[in-house]
Amino acid sequence: MAITMFPKITLFIATFVFHSTIKQPSLVFGSDPDPLQDYCLPSPHTHLCKNSSSVTVDDFVFSGIKHPGNFTNKFSGVPVSSTVFPALNTLGMSLVRADFQVGGINAPHYHPRATEVAYVLEGKLYSGFVDTGNKVFAKVIEKGEVMVFPRGVLHFQMNVGDSPATVLGSFDSQNPGSVKLPIALFGSDIDSELLEKAFGLKSKEISKLKKRFGIKKEE
Ligand SMILES: *[C@@H]1O[C@H](CO)[C@@H](O)[C@H](O)[C@H]1NC(C)=O
Ligand SMILES: *[C@@H]1O[C@H](CO)[C@@H](O)[C@H](O)[C@H]1NC(C)=O
């Protein structure tokens, strides 16, 4: 991983120099670092790039999103990040396949490290996000349309059609991360008293929510 440190340091210095010499408001740098080689398939033990003599075309092909994943509550998400598709390592992008049965939702969540462009392959979805001023941008989008969800911003989708829906999301990070609000809040070990105070709910109600979302982190 040491190999990927350089761009970060350069970026940091560049950002510092830039901000100290030019007055330009709200210009922010932030993305995966640029690659220093054509590709970098991490070797299992050292995590350094594999010698290209042991890399094959199959390393660059991933077949795991031909079909929907396993459904939970009418929703299935199959991330294609560098974790499952190592060829993406150092390349700064990844995908997710999301499938919705009729009425299924992708609960409010955000990706801390990436902007997402979501392309509707099939179906009709109420789709949107809420900005940091609590303004909601949401509407029904359908097959062939895309919607963008800015990095780190809370977003959601619901199949409002009468047939299954499929979305392909693309990210400008090899590892966007995903924080699902219901699970992060009620499926984690945050102290119940704090949650009671935060939501103005009784202990019993928090216990119920904890029971419902008590699935541990997915990614
Ligand atoms: C990569 O493997 C080839 C063939 O085994 C070898 O000749 C070459 O020196 C290796 N390169 C590096 C950088 O280890
Ligand atoms: C779906 O569930 C099966 C059985 O638990 C598991 O083997 C498989 O890897 C899962 N598929 C996905 C895409 O998560």
Side-chain angles (χ1 to χ4, degrees):
M1 276 298 131
I3 207 163
T4 60
M5 282 304 289
F6 269 100
K8 275 190 185 152
I9 293 164
T10 317
L11 195 63
F12 174 76
I13 295 167
T15 308
F16 179 75
V17 170
F18 189 80
H19 280 285
S20 54
T21 54
I22 306 165
K23 278 213 175 83
Q24 173 116 23
S26 65
L27 185 68
V28 177
F29 294 99
S31 61
D32 284 12
D34 280 336
L36 296 173
Q37 59 285 306
D38 294 348
Y39 48 84
C40 176
L41 279 118
S43 51
H45 301 298
T46 63
H47 296 290
L48 297 172
C49 309
K50 277 187 191 167
N51 185 327
S52 64
S53 66
S54 63
V55 175
T56 72
V57 62
D58 289 330
D59 287 313
F60 298 102
V61 175
F62 179 80
S63 308
I65 55 166
K66 271 189 182 175
H67 308 289
N70 297 320
F71 284 89
T72 308
N73 297 329
K74 301 184 178 179
F75 174 76
S76 145
V78 184
V80 188
S81 63
S82 56
T83 315
V84 293
F85 186 27
L88 292 174
N89 185 43
T90 74
L91 300 184
M93 57 190 299
S94 59
L95 297 173
V96 65
R97 172 180 177 150
D99 290 89
F100 303 73
Q101 290 163 353
V102 174
I105 66 161
N106 191 358
H109 66 283
Y110 64 91
H111 306 289
R113 293 179 290 277
T115 289
E116 175 176 4
V117 180
Y119 175 58
V120 183
L121 291 167
E122 215 51 71
K124 216 183 200 186
L125 301 119
Y126 170 73
S127 185
F129 67 88
V130 49
D131 75 9
T132 55
N134 298 320
K135 179 168 179 179
V136 174
F137 299 85
K139 66 177 287 190
V140 174
I141 58 169
E142 54 184 34
K143 181 173 177 169
E145 293 188 296
V146 300
M147 182 159 188
V148 61
F149 305 121
R151 182 201 299 209
V153 163
L154 198 65
H155 57 281
F156 43 81
Q157 287 175 317
M158 174 165 66
N159 182 356
V160 293
D162 49 18
S163 57
T166 304
V167 171
L168 187 70
S170 63
F171 300 103
D172 63 340
S173 168
Q174 68 174 44
N175 185 17
S178 180
V179 179
K180 300 223 180 221
L181 236 52
I183 298 172
L185 289 166
F186 302 108
S188 68
D189 291 323
I190 299 178
D191 187 84
S192 295
E193 185 185 344
L194 185 143
L195 292 173
E196 285 165 34
K197 289 176 177 170
F199 290 91
L201 292 173
K202 298 202 168 66
S203 160
K204 225 189 211 164
E205 293 163 322
I206 293 294
S207 300
K208 208 169 146 188
L209 285 164
K210 285 202 161 189
K211 207 169 271 174
R212 179 172 161 84
F213 296 108
I215 327 154
K216 289 293 169 191
K217 278 269 172 71
E218 294 168 282
E219 281 167 70

